[in-house]
Each structure stands twice: as C-alpha cells, then as structure tokens.
C-alpha cells in the first residue's frame, strides 16, 4: 500500500531529515515508527500526506507514485488517508461533532450518513457524551481523542498517527491501539509514530526505527 | 470507551465510489444542495457575528451602487420631461405666398394622412395679420402696406413618439421641406438638441461612474474577503488536510461576497427610494411653478431587483477574484 524507495528529504535550510529511507507497508499491516526526537518521524508522515515533497527517491501509494499525482487530485487522495496530528489540528470555532464530521463534509456525504458515522467514531474514543461541546472545553487527552475520531470517521485506507497517545494515560493508550488494530484487521494500513516504548513493547507489531533520518527495522521488540 | 461496534472498523472497504447505490446521484445532489444551504447560512451568520465590519462593507457597496442609480433616475426623469414638452418639436411651415386655397387644402389633406404628424393648424395670411394687428402697436404700421406681406402658414406637431427623437424629427423636417408648396420649415429645436446632449453626457457619466464604482466594489469586497481568508488560515489548512478541494474551501467566501453584494444592493435601493421621497416633493413643487407635471421617475421593484442582482454579481466576482488568488496558495 505504502512504499518508500530510497526516499530522502532535505529541508530548504539544508537539513536532511530523511536519508534514503526504504520500506513497504501492506494493506492490513500495522507498524510503529519510532526514534529519538528530531529523528524524522513527523517528516516521514508528512511525505505520505503530501504536506512535504521528497527531495530524492520514490514514494508509491497503492502502486502509484505520489509525485505524479496532479494537484487537483491531492484532495481526493487525502480523503483516503486518516491522520492524527501531533498538534491535534482541531478547529475551535465549532463543536466536537463538527470537528469529527469535517472529513465527511468535504467529500459531500449526506447528513444522515455523517451523523451515524460521527457518533460511531465518537463512541469509539469515548466522547459521545461531549459531541456538543467546544474542543476548548476538553482536556488535552480528550482533544487528542477528537483528533483520533476525525482520523477514522471516514474509514480511510491508510491511517497515520503522529504521537497519538502523547497525552493519554496507559490504559487509554492501549484502548486507542486496540482501535487501530481493529482497522488493521479490516485491511487498513496503519503507521503510528511514537516514542512510547512501553506501548510498543505491549503490542507485538512491526517496528521501524529512525535514527538521524536513517531507517532500520528491528526484530520484533516484544520478542527480544 | 465502548467495545468496537461494527459501523466503523467493519467497513473500511466501502469507498465513496462503492457506497453509491442506484439512487446515489440523488443522495449526492441532496447532500450538495444541503451543503450549499449550510454554507450560505454560515456565511450569513459570520457576517452577523461581525456587524461592524459587515455593515461598513455593505455601506461601501451600497453607496457605490446608489450614486449611479440616482444619476440614472435623474437622467431618465429628464428624458421623460424632454419628451413630454408639448411644443417641443412644433414646426412652422411657411408656404408659397401665392399658394391657391385649393392647393393648400390638398396639402393639408396629405399631411393629415402622414402618420408622423399629430396636429395640423392652418393660419391664413389674413388671420396672421389680424393676430399681428391685435398685438402690440403694429396696427398703424400694417395699414400702410398695400398688400398682406404674410405668407400662409401651417403649424404642425409631430406625434409624441418621435418628439424627443432628434434624428427622426430632422428627417421629418426634410420631408416636409420637399413639398413644392412649402417655402421653408422652421423648427426651434436647439434647446431640444442641447437637452439631448446634456442627457447623453449624463448617460455617459452614469456609465463611467457606474463602471468606476463597480471596480471599487470589486476591490472593497475582494479586500474584505482577503482579510477573512487570512483570519481563517488555520481552518483552511485543516480542511485541505482532510481532503477539502479548493472549490470546497472557496465556497463559504463566495457566499460571503454574495451576501455583501446583495445586502449592499438592497441598502442602495432603500437609499435611492428615500432620496426620491425627500427630493420628490421639492421637485414637484418646483415643476408646478412652470406648469409642468414633471416628477422624478421612481425606482420601483424592477430597480430593486436590478440593484440586488448587480450587487450580488459584483460581490460574487469580487470574492471570486480574492479567493482565486489566495486560496490556491494556501497549502498545508
Ligand atoms: N519545516 C522544517 N524546516 C526545516 N527543518 C525541519 C522542518 N521540519 C522539521 N525539520 C527538522 O527535521 C528534523 C526531523 O524533524 P521531525 O520529522 O519533526 O522529527 P520527529 O517528528 O521525529 O521529532 C528535525 O531536525 C527538525 O528540526
Ligand atoms: Mg514529530
């Protein structure tokens, strides 16, 4: 589903955030992306989201090179990707419900459909009772869960999460991971950037490690 | 946190394409219309939420529309006036002095069948002399003349339709002058021509002013929308990240522009109507002094619709120019 082929990313200031990264993630596969702060985790996810462009190498999604994607096609591509952002990226001028509904609204879904799915997504992250509140009224952990609900509400093919459990206690983190695994089990490619080693150890999934922009894949940590 | 229910995770393979059933396009259309209505409502709500900014923009739009509209009202009222001036295009036909009565009768009969003429009065040399003698002091002098020096005269008035139409009146003069019996045709239409010229200038000024102010409206609405885009930068980026197209992001701003224009047009109409009411009584009283029933042409329902439509189009175009430039550039 996702294929990095010798991908490098050099920022305009000359800093090379990713160096010749190669890996593939299949449909129905889940992996953790880990590494020290500044290792390039967010950069890697941004490349998949087309928020940044590779400065070298090839990035294929569903067999197609993202660099060949026409500008006008980008929105439709993004609709098939769900993202949990490190900084939430919530909109504080509308309710929790409307935040989660956004990915469905942009694709012109019907209101009945939107309501059904938004409630289901909020139910999954345990925020159904807060749908009418404004995100400002919620705690950091709850805001993060709004972001998670928004990332999954439209059942994307690819699910990316950048430190999704940063503000969550271990129990809640584990539940979110279970949710991600549910998606993995029905064919979604899931890539989770985190430096929460305890979480990774508990999960028995693939682990991709970035170090100064270089990727290595360890044997499963849980078995080590 | 509940146990996962099936609505979400169980159906990730259902893509937008696959969700369509036979009635798919209908539900799409319904969703599309609903989303437009929501955009229109939200844009309006946003305007109401920032009344000062909105009212300022609307007033600028209103003033820019009201000025040419008032000028238009003035010009077309004068146009009406110049057309309703009774004697405006009255012509005097001086006939050959020796013309026989019979020939004159047949000329009158011919003129009566001319559809462009409304009235024909014959003044014989005798009648003219009597009239002249009756008026101040000529009596003595005229009796000294051996014969009546005055020619027979026909006064003709063209039909109302062509009275204000200078080229047609001139054409009529030429035709009448070709009658063998007619010596000369006099038409004092200089003032009419001058009036026409003034009206033409008035019309041109209306168009110029309208054009310049329309440009101003485009700029003002465009700038307001640009500021709105700036202030909603974060939101736009998030919407684009979850797959919002440029079109989707543009739409609320286009509605905002449309609202500014429509409300501006409505205010402009109100302003013009109030101005007419205020000026109207004065104008009518003044006109009464000159035995004229001149009144300002009123800007009725048609005018309101035109102003609203024109304002709406300007607002939409102004917003379109702004979003076209700024939204495509905002990329996450
Ligand atoms: N927009 C940017 N411009 C320049 N340098 C950047 C930019 N974003 C990230 N970097 C740098 O790239 C490196 C990787 O950053 P990032 O991908 O955010 O790391 P991580 O998410 O693993 O902490 C860091 O050294 C960071 O300073
Ligand atoms: Mg990061």
């Amino acid at each position: 589903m996702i294929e990095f082929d010798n991908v490098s990313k050099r920022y305009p200031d000359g800093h090379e955030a990713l160096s010749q990264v190669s890996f593939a993630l299949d449909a129905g596969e889940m992996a953790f992306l880990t590494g020290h702060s500044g290792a390039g985790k967010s950069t890697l996810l941004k490349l998949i989201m087309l928020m940044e462009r590779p400065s070298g190498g090839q990035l294929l999604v569903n067999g197609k090179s993202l660099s060949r994607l026409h500008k006008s096609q980008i929105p439709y591509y993004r609709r098939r990707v769900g993202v949990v952002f490190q900084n939430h990226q919530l909109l504080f001028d509308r309710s929790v419900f409307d935040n989660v509904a956004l990915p469905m609204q942009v694709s012109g879904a019907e209101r009945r459909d939107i309501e059904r799915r938004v409630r289901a997504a909020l139910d999954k992250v345990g925020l159904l009772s807060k749908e009418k509140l404004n995100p400002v009224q919620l705690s950091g952990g709850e805001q993060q869960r709004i972001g998670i609900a928004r990332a999954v509400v439209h059942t994307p093919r690819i699910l990316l999460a950048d430190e999704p459990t940063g503000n969550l206690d271990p129990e809640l983190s584990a539940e979110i991971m279970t949710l991600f695994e549910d998606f993995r089990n029905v064919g979604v490619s899931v890539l989770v950037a985190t430096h929460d080693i305890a979480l990774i150890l508990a999960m028995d999934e693939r682990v991709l490690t970035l170090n100064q922009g270089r990727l290595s894949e360890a044997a499963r940590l849980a078995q080590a | 946190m509940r146990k996962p229910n099936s609505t979400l995770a169980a159906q990730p393979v259902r893509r937008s394409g696959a969700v369509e059933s036979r009635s798919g396009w209908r539900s799409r259309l319904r969703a599309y219309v609903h989303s437009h209505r929501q955009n229109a409502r939200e844009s309006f709500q946003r305007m109401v939420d920032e009344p000062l900014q909105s009212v300022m923009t609307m007033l600028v739009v209103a003033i820019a529309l009201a000025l040419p509209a008032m000028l238009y009202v003035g010009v077309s009222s004068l146009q009406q006036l110049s057309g309703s001036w009774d004697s405006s295009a009255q012509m005097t036909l001086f006939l050959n002095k020796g013309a026989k009565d019979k020939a004159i009768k047949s000329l009158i009969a011919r003129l009566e069948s001319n559809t462009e003429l409304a009235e024909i009065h014959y003044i014989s040399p005798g009648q003219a002399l009597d009239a002249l003698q009756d008026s101040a002091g000529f009596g003595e002098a005229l009796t000294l003349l051996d014969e009546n020096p005055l020619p027979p005269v026909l006064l003709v008035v063209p039909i109302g339709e062509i009275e204000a139409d200078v080229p047609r009146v001139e054409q009529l003069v030429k035709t009448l002058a070709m009658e063998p019996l007619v010596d000369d045709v006099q038409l004092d239409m200089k003032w009419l021509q001058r009036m026409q010229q003034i009206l033409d200038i008035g019309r041109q000024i209306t168009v110029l002013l309208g054009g310049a102010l329309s440009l101003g409206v485009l700029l003002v609405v465009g700038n307001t929308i640009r500021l709105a885009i700036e202030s909603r930068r974060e939101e736009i980026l998030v919407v684009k990240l979850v797959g919002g197209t440029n079109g989707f992001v543009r739409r609320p701003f286009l509605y905002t522009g449309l609202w500014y224009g429509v409300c501006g047009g409505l205010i402009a109409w109100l302003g013009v109507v109030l101005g007419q009411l205020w000026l109207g009584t004065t104008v009518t009283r003044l006109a009464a002094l000159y035995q004229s029933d001149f009144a300002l042409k009123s800007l009725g329902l048609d005018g309101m619709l035109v102003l609203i439509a024109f304002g709406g189009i300007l607002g939409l175009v102004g917003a379109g120019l702004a979003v076209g430039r700024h939204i495509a550039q905002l990329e996450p």
Side-chain angles (χ1 to χ4, degrees), chain B residues 178-243:
Chain B
M178 280 191 316
E179 286 286 345
L181 220 52
V182 174
D183 238 6
D184 190 19
V185 180
Q186 256 186 28
L187 166 73
D188 189 18
M189 59 184 310
K190 276 226 174 77
W191 76 269
L192 190 62
Q193 282 172 328
R194 212 164 285 153
M195 179 81 151
Q196 283 299 332
Q197 282 164 354
I198 292 172
L199 288 179
D200 282 346
I201 291 172
R203 263 190 288 269
Q204 281 167 351
I205 290 178
T206 309
V207 170
L208 271 179
L209 191 73
L213 291 175
S214 298
L215 203 66
V217 169
L218 291 186
L219 294 179
V220 166
V221 172
N223 193 51
T224 307
I225 298 295
R226 185 182 61 79
L227 291 175
I229 292 173
E230 283 303 316
S231 74
R232 292 173 70 187
R233 219 186 116 81
E234 298 306 315
E235 178 188 346
I236 291 171
L237 292 181
V238 171
V239 170
K240 284 194 168 189
L241 273 177
V242 298

Side-chain angles (χ1 to χ4, degrees), chain A residues 152-166:
Chain A
V152 301
V153 68
H154 55 314
T155 56
R157 287 235 176 125
I158 296 172
L159 182 55
L160 309 175
D162 200 350
E163 315 274 4
T165 57

Side-chain angles (χ1 to χ4, degrees), chain A residues 79 94 123-124 155 175 186, chain B residues 1-2 4 9 12 15 235 243:
Chain A
R79 286 177 198 177
R94 61 195 76 188
D123 190 28
K124 294 252 174 199
T155 56
E175 286 187 63
V186 289
Chain B
M1 205 87 146
R2 318 275 156 79
R15 299 264 58 82
E235 178 188 346

Side-chain angles (χ1 to χ4, degrees), chain A residues 11-13 15 17 35-44 46 52 86 162-163:
Chain A
Y11 280 110
D13 62 5
H15 181 83
H36 61 91
S37 172
K41 302 184 292 293
S42 298
T43 302
L44 193 149
K46 281 179 184 165
E52 297 287 351
Q86 195 164 6
D162 200 350
E163 315 274 4

Side-chain angles (χ1 to χ4, degrees), chain A residues 49 51 75 78-79 85 91 93-94 106-108 110-111 116 121 123-124 150 152 155 157 175 182 186, chain B residues 1-2 4-5 7-9 11-12 15 27-28 30-31 34 46 235 238 240-243 245 248 332:
Chain A
M49 270 313 276
M51 293 164 76
R78 284 185 179 142
R79 286 177 198 177
F85 295 96
L91 299 176
D93 65 345
R94 61 195 76 188
V106 299
S107 60
E110 240 194 305
R111 192 163 31 159
R116 189 169 56 83
D123 190 28
K124 294 252 174 199
R150 189 182 63 190
V152 301
T155 56
R157 287 235 176 125
E175 286 187 63
D182 287 345
V186 289
Chain B
M1 205 87 146
R2 318 275 156 79
N5 68 35
T7 321
L8 266 179
Q11 334 164 318
R15 299 264 58 82
S27 82
R28 286 265 132 177
R30 204 163 36 207
H34 172 75
R46 266 176 210 280
E235 178 188 346
V238 171
K240 284 194 168 189
L241 273 177
V242 298
T245 55
F248 181 86

Side-chain angles (χ1 to χ4, degrees), chain A residues 98-120:
Chain A
D98 285 333
N99 266 278
V100 175
L102 203 57
M104 301 207 66
Q105 286 168 348
V106 299
S107 60
E110 240 194 305
R111 192 163 31 159
R112 257 182 315 133
D113 218 19
I114 293 179
E115 281 175 6
R116 189 169 56 83
R117 285 177 167 249
V118 169
R119 300 237 157 84

